[in-house]
Amino acid sequence: MKLTYRSTMLACYNGYITQAICINLAPLLYLTFQRSYGLTIGQISLLIAVNFAVQLAIDLVASLFARSMNLRLCIVFAHFSSVLGLMGLAVFPEIMPPLWGLLLAEALLGVGGGFTEVVISPLMEACPTEGKSGNMSLLHSFYCWGQAGVVLFSGIFFHFFNIDTYWQYLPFFWAIVPFMGAIAFCFVPIYKLPSDETKAKEGSVRGLFANPLFISFLLMMLCAGASEMIMSQWASNFVESALGVEKSLGDLLGPCMFALMMALCRVFYGKFSERIHLKRMMLGSCFLCIVAYLLAAFAPHPALSLVGCALCGFSVGIFWPGTLSYASSKLPGASLAMFALLAVAGDSGCLIGPPLAGSVAGFFAGELRYAFLFALIFPIINIVVLLWGRKQKRNDGKPS
């Protein structure tokens, strides 16, 4: 069978499923880690921080050495690092102090996630296809499908097997997905962005930071990462501890619905991107995000809180891929360096958002409702940036 750009796209889809597994499997086990290894909520927050701190470090290195990176080598290495990290969740805490073992596993997952985030989006952007923004949104929907799959199948596993006794088998099962991805990326065609081929000055790090519009995209990416990950990382804990819903059912109605609604948003935009004004959709999604977090935190009935979790997924769905697509269309010389720097900003939001939200919850005796109240900061900032951008365009005499 001849491998074409469609084979590359399929491998990219698998890459985002891999990233979803690496980011979302551990949160389903946080309470198990607390019970089995005596970890505190502060130490759980540290696990989240290490994963995204390593991703952030990889993003920074990639932005500096984007011109000389071997894309095939990077993405294959990312997948094998993900395999080791997943297996390490089960193995490392048994052969070393549990906290250090889990931190090492999270660091390996962060390495895999960092290279994946930097490389997958430009690989998709470089494929010879039409409708770039729709394809980017569809690509990122596979992260959501992967997240939903992790929650769904892990929940089924927990329903039939005692979680405290058998949870170590689960990471080995999920490690099959990145292993398959590593093999695929050894063979599929690898395309490069035009600016990476011509070394366009505008696509350089210095050229990007000279553009004020790029700074606004960085801030939007930071808010996108924080808005998405606060709910994604804490929903399972919130549904089980605050709402008192049984774990397997709660994970299906909370984190799983969050992921499915986020996927539906991205598939919806991917299908109708030619008819939808991207900036207006992002602005409306910011307001919906505020409503969703308030509903999840302060609804008088657990069922309404679960609806809030799901609505939050739909509201944040367009933030990350929408910002990438908008930046790619508006900034001259879109390059691997640009995608790497935007990934730095997005992962910075992923890094600071959940731990800060966890710290706020810790200040209020572990009450995660206040963590969700804190999360409102990020969609509010995004609203301000989007409205500022519209005002700037009007001042320049251009349509918004």
Side-chain angles (χ1 to χ4, degrees):
M1 183 180 65
K2 183 179 179 181
L3 298 178
T4 66
Y5 72 90
R6 296 185 184 278
S7 307
T8 307
M9 294 172 68
L10 290 174
C12 289
Y13 297 154
N14 183 82
Y16 262 119
I17 293 173
T18 292
Q19 189 174 42
I21 295 168
C22 294
I23 291 176
N24 295 287
L25 178 60
L28 300 178
L29 300 168
Y30 284 163
L31 286 179
T32 303
F33 293 159
Q34 288 180 275
R35 290 193 297 264
S36 300
Y37 303 125
L39 302 185
T40 66
I41 193 170
Q43 290 171 326
I44 294 296
S45 296
L46 181 61
L47 294 179
I48 301 172
V50 165
N51 186 310
F52 289 109
V54 173
Q55 288 196 48
L56 179 60
I58 296 297
D59 296 342
L60 287 169
V61 171
S63 68
L64 296 174
F65 298 99
R67 304 290 186 191
S68 57
M69 285 176 59
N70 183 313
L71 297 185
R72 190 184 302 277
L73 179 62
C74 286
I75 196 60
V76 171
F77 175 74
H79 280 70
F80 278 120
S81 179
S82 299
V83 171
L84 290 175
L86 287 169
M87 293 190 298
L89 286 175
V91 175
F92 295 160
E94 304 299 323
I95 62 176
M96 62 180 70
L99 177 61
W100 289 104
L102 291 171
L103 288 173
L104 176 58
E106 288 283 7
L108 287 169
L109 294 174
V111 170
F115 276 115
T116 298
E117 184 60 48
V118 167
V119 176
I120 290 288
S121 291
L123 280 179
M124 175 63 75
E125 186 75 13
C127 286
T129 61
E130 301 292 333
K132 296 291 187 181
S133 66
N135 287 332
M136 185 67 72
S137 184
L138 183 62
L139 169 66
H140 283 259
S141 76
F142 278 86
Y143 173 89
C144 312
W145 297 123
Q147 182 180 0
V150 169
V151 176
L152 176 62
F153 289 108
S154 298
I156 294 173
F157 180 89
F158 296 149
H159 180 74
F160 288 102
F161 299 95
N162 184 280
I163 183 173
D164 292 321
T165 305
Y166 295 103
W167 71 266
Q168 288 94 340
Y169 293 98
L170 201 59
F172 280 88
F173 168 77
W174 286 115
I176 296 172
V177 177
F179 181 79
M180 293 173 59
I183 301 303
F185 273 112
C186 288
F187 301 102
V188 300
I190 299 294
Y191 301 88
K192 288 188 176 182
L193 292 165
S195 60
D196 287 324
E197 298 272 357
T198 60
K199 301 186 183 300
K201 179 179 178 181
E202 296 88 346
S204 66
V205 173
R206 181 176 297 180
L208 289 167
F209 277 104
N211 189 336
L213 187 59
F214 178 67
I215 306 301
S216 69
F217 287 131
L218 290 178
L219 186 55
M220 289 171 64
M221 283 297 293
L222 185 148
C223 293
S227 300
E228 177 182 330
M229 280 299 153
I230 289 174
M231 180 61 76
S232 175
Q233 295 289 299
W234 288 115
S236 178
N237 198 313
F238 172 72
V239 170
E240 187 176 355
S241 62
L243 302 184
V245 179
E246 191 269 330
K247 180 171 178 56
S248 58
L249 177 62
D251 283 349
L252 291 177
L253 296 178
C256 188
M257 287 303 299
F258 169 86
L260 287 174
M261 293 296 286
M262 186 161 59
L264 288 175
C265 174
R266 290 173 175 178
V267 171
F268 172 78
Y269 180 75
K271 184 174 179 60
F272 299 105
S273 58
E274 300 300 324
R275 308 179 195 175
I276 299 174
H277 193 292
L278 176 59
K279 194 171 181 180
R280 291 173 187 166
M281 181 172 178
M282 293 181 69
L283 190 60
S285 294
C286 289
F287 286 105
L288 180 60
C289 186
I290 293 172
V291 173
Y293 266 113
L294 287 173
L295 185 61
F298 300 110
H301 192 277
L304 291 176
S305 291
L306 292 171
V307 170
C309 291
L311 282 177
C312 186
F314 190 89
S315 69
V316 302
I318 195 62
F319 288 175
W320 193 294
T323 304
L324 289 176
S325 295
Y326 199 51
S328 181
S329 65
K330 295 299 180 183
L331 295 173
S335 63
L336 181 61
M338 183 200 79
F339 281 100
L341 288 169
L342 290 174
V344 169
D347 286 337
S348 295
C350 296
L351 171 64
I352 67 174
L356 280 178
S359 298
V360 171
F363 182 78
F364 290 97
E367 181 54 74
L368 286 171
R369 298 179 191 275
Y370 293 98
F372 292 167
L373 185 62
F374 165 79
L376 298 181
I377 293 172
F378 300 103
I380 290 173
I381 292 174
N382 246 358
I383 290 171
V384 173
V385 173
L386 286 166
L387 292 177
W388 174 82
R390 178 178 294 182
K391 181 179 179 181
Q392 290 297 110
K393 285 193 173 185
R394 286 174 179 169
N395 290 341
D396 292 340
K398 299 177 182 179
S400 58

